Amino acid sequence: MNDDFDNLIRNARPDVPAGARARVLEYVGAHGAVASAPAPWRVFLRAAALVLLAVFAGVAAALVARPAPAPALDPVAQLAAEVKALETQVAALERDSAAAQLVDLQAEVAALEAGRPDYGAALEQVVTAQLDARESREREEWRQRHIEHMRRHYAEEQEATVERLRRELNLSSEQEKAVRELLSETGKQAEELIGEVYTGRRHHRRDPRMHDRFAELANETEKKLAELLNEKQRGRMEGTGIVSAAPEDWAPRSEFRDETDLDVWTNWINVTRE
Amino acid sequence: MPGRGLNENLQPGPGSASQSDEFRALFERYHDAVFRQIALLLGRDSAAAEDVAQETWLRISRSLKTFEGRSGFYAWACSIASNEVKRWWGRNRRPVSLGPEPSEDPGEGRERNELVHEALRRMPEEFRQPLLLDLWEGMSVAEIGKALGLPEGTVKSRLYRAREKFRQLWQELQ
């Protein structure tokens, strides 16, 4: 039956038109992407352009830095400078006469401000508390959604794995039961690992240890599975993991349906990025 | 065909030549698979698929240095292709008929192929991608795992579930 469907799908394979490969390469090359290395003459032109640019920059810098010619000593200009200095002194005297009043005013303002309640700090506290509460709610919602999705996906994956092992390794009923228990236990441990991300302050933050922890979980499961199998079965199983060691496989994207789910998935990818 | 010893989780160095070599290797290896994925998603003639493929590979070549290797290269390329298909639809009207143009057999064969494509389009991509790499590209489980960045066990269970899902969708479409 499977072969019938396989042939059905094989026969529906779209053809790749002759020359398509070359046309794509040509298109990519024409748009200056990495498909082809730059030609030597183009490298030379680029280097020459850089040298010219450096020369122009040097000339421009020299022009800007050249000192202006010193002005000739002019008695009129000297007098104007002295007048300007006198004006500055007068302005300073005027300012100083008001300085004492200004100091008094500043002291009054300070006294008034000291007696005023700190609305800013109170507002900040309220806002912080609201943000914390919101984040906690969001964290809990995401945790529940993630685990719920993971459970559903994992249950299907687990069924398929057991079915495959039964078929490929001729599992006895006792072995099948033990394998089911093993996979359930692995699922629970994965749930715990995922749940931890949403507790404390690790939400949204990258945690590179997740890769090691899931790899450890996958290895452990494989070891335990090997203990459940006989020599012949073990030989046939060798080299094929039964649960994924990659954290991203524990947040199945296609299972997510709405925006909140997408948030959960994005967050998980963010937390587990390497 | 797949199977070359290529570092798919590449982190291109500063030299553009090595990046260019990596690009060429990935292009040679995955061009046909990505093209067929585009043709399937687009459901239009191969000329349109070729336009989208050109934009897709141009974008890939420009973004290659940002590819972190978190997923397999093929999965990453398909997500870019999928965005380019959406952009194409934004510029063009929705299709009247479904499915790419027929390859050889008109009539009943064509209708059947269109139904197969429709069922494949309705599958979640995490099942569709390994199934097509298996049946259209002839990749082994290990090669699919490398292309999608998944362990072999996960690939096997996804292939199993993909076939179940296809059967269910096929029956719904009959």
Side-chain angles (χ1 to χ4, degrees):
Chain A
M1 192 63 178
N2 260 348
D3 286 346
D4 292 345
F5 281 116
D6 283 4
N7 286 330
L8 198 62
I9 297 172
R10 276 197 196 98
N11 291 336
R13 188 175 91 151
D15 292 331
V16 178
R21 199 177 270 252
R23 286 192 291 277
V24 171
L25 262 191
E26 193 183 333
Y27 180 81
V28 173
H31 285 75
V34 298
S36 59
W41 62 269
R42 200 174 285 171
V43 173
F44 173 76
L45 280 182
R46 280 180 196 160
L50 280 175
V51 170
L52 279 176
L53 196 62
V55 169
F56 281 128
V59 170
L63 284 173
V64 170
R66 194 169 61 180
L73 207 57
D74 181 358
V76 177
Q78 212 171 358
L79 186 63
E82 283 172 9
V83 168
K84 193 164 175 91
L86 282 171
E87 279 174 355
T88 309
Q89 284 178 16
V90 170
L93 282 171
E94 283 175 355
R95 192 176 60 239
D96 289 346
S97 64
Q101 292 174 19
L102 186 63
V103 169
D104 288 347
L105 278 171
Q106 280 172 340
E108 278 180 45
V109 168
L112 285 169
E113 277 186 347
R116 190 187 66 173
D118 192 348
Y119 294 116
L123 182 64
E124 193 180 325
Q125 273 180 5
V126 171
V127 170
T128 306
Q130 285 293 322
L131 287 176
D132 281 349
R134 185 182 174 284
E135 203 200 11
S136 294
R137 277 199 307 275
E138 183 186 72
R139 214 161 47 205
E140 182 52 24
E141 185 187 344
W142 289 13
R143 187 184 72 81
Q144 284 177 10
R145 286 217 182 202
H146 191 158
I147 288 179
E148 185 189 318
H149 284 300
M150 181 238 132
R151 263 185 205 156
R152 191 164 56 229
H153 184 80
Y154 184 71
E156 289 173 14
E157 198 85 40
Q158 183 179 333
E159 241 356 89
T161 304
V162 170
E163 171 63 29
R164 179 170 62 80
L165 293 177
R166 188 199 300 135
R167 192 163 33 81
E168 291 180 359
L169 306 180
N170 293 324
L171 293 182
S172 67
S173 54
E174 289 80 17
Q175 280 180 317
E176 184 179 326
K177 190 178 165 212
V179 168
R180 268 183 206 287
E181 281 169 9
L182 170 63
L183 291 175
S184 298
E185 183 53 34
T186 301
K188 280 179 197 155
Q189 288 178 38
E191 277 182 28
E192 278 174 29
L193 281 180
I194 291 167
E196 280 177 28
V197 169
Y198 297 95
T199 56
R201 289 263 167 202
R202 289 161 58 202
H203 194 41
H204 292 310
R205 291 187 191 166
R206 187 173 79 90
D207 185 354
R209 290 172 308 164
M210 295 307 281
H211 288 268
D212 293 338
R213 298 176 80 181
F214 274 100
E216 196 182 326
L217 180 62
N219 282 338
E220 201 58 36
T221 307
E222 206 160 330
K223 256 190 237 162
K224 287 179 183 166
L225 176 70
E227 286 166 13
L228 297 173
L229 303 176
N230 60 37
E231 195 64 40
K232 192 177 164 195
Q233 289 170 323
R234 264 198 294 277
R236 291 169 68 185
M237 262 304 290
E238 206 165 342
T240 64
I242 57 163
V243 292
S244 177
E248 56 266 33
D249 284 337
W250 295 89
R253 181 172 44 174
S254 71
E255 299 287 313
F256 290 118
R257 302 289 178 210
D258 60 27
E259 283 180 7
T260 310
D261 291 334
L262 191 61
D263 286 342
V264 174
W265 183 76
T266 309
N267 179 56
W268 179 248
I269 291 303
N270 195 31
V271 167
T272 59
R273 74 182 190 276
E274 285 175 292
Chain B
M1 252 347 246
R4 296 168 55 185
L6 178 72
N7 174 20
E8 299 208 346
N9 295 337
L10 70 158
Q11 290 292 333
S16 64
S18 72
Q19 196 175 322
S20 171
D21 291 346
E22 294 279 22
F23 175 81
R24 286 299 290 261
L26 291 166
F27 176 82
E28 290 301 328
R29 184 166 175 183
Y30 288 111
H31 171 268
D32 289 1
V34 171
F35 184 92
R36 280 191 262 273
Q37 181 82 212
I38 290 169
L40 172 72
L41 294 178
L42 207 56
R44 292 296 290 254
D45 56 36
S46 54
E50 210 172 312
D51 286 347
V52 176
Q54 288 177 346
E55 292 301 328
T56 299
W57 282 102
L58 181 62
R59 200 163 285 266
I60 288 172
S61 71
R62 285 177 175 164
S63 317
L64 200 55
K65 57 178 178 287
T66 66
F67 174 54
E68 293 176 343
R70 285 174 50 73
S71 61
F73 175 79
Y74 175 76
W76 179 68
C78 279
S79 65
I80 292 177
S82 170
N83 283 337
E84 287 304 320
V85 168
K86 282 177 198 156
R87 275 157 52 89
W88 192 91
W89 281 122
R91 296 191 303 267
N92 298 277
R93 287 170 183 274
R94 279 268 150 199
V96 178
S97 64
L98 294 168
E101 67 182 2
S103 45
E104 286 112 34
D105 51 347
E108 201 181 321
R110 178 186 176 178
E111 259 179 40
R112 195 175 51 236
N113 284 353
E114 284 176 358
L115 274 180
V116 170
H117 287 155
E118 182 56 20
L120 290 170
R121 273 192 292 269
R122 290 186 189 188
M123 287 176 81
E125 66 181 23
E126 69 189 58
F127 298 145
R128 183 176 62 230
Q129 286 176 354
L131 189 66
L132 295 188
L133 289 178
D134 178 11
L135 297 179
W136 281 1
E137 311 306 328
M139 288 191 187
S140 68
V141 169
E143 286 165 343
I144 296 172
K146 196 185 278 187
L148 298 175
L150 294 172
E152 288 180 30
T154 305
V155 172
K156 283 183 182 176
S157 68
R158 287 196 186 171
L159 282 174
Y160 177 82
R161 288 175 62 197
R163 287 186 164 91
E164 292 294 308
K165 189 79 186 165
F166 180 82
R167 186 183 314 191
Q168 177 201 332
L169 288 167
W170 179 255
Q171 280 160 2
E172 281 172 17
L173 287 170
Q174 292 301 300

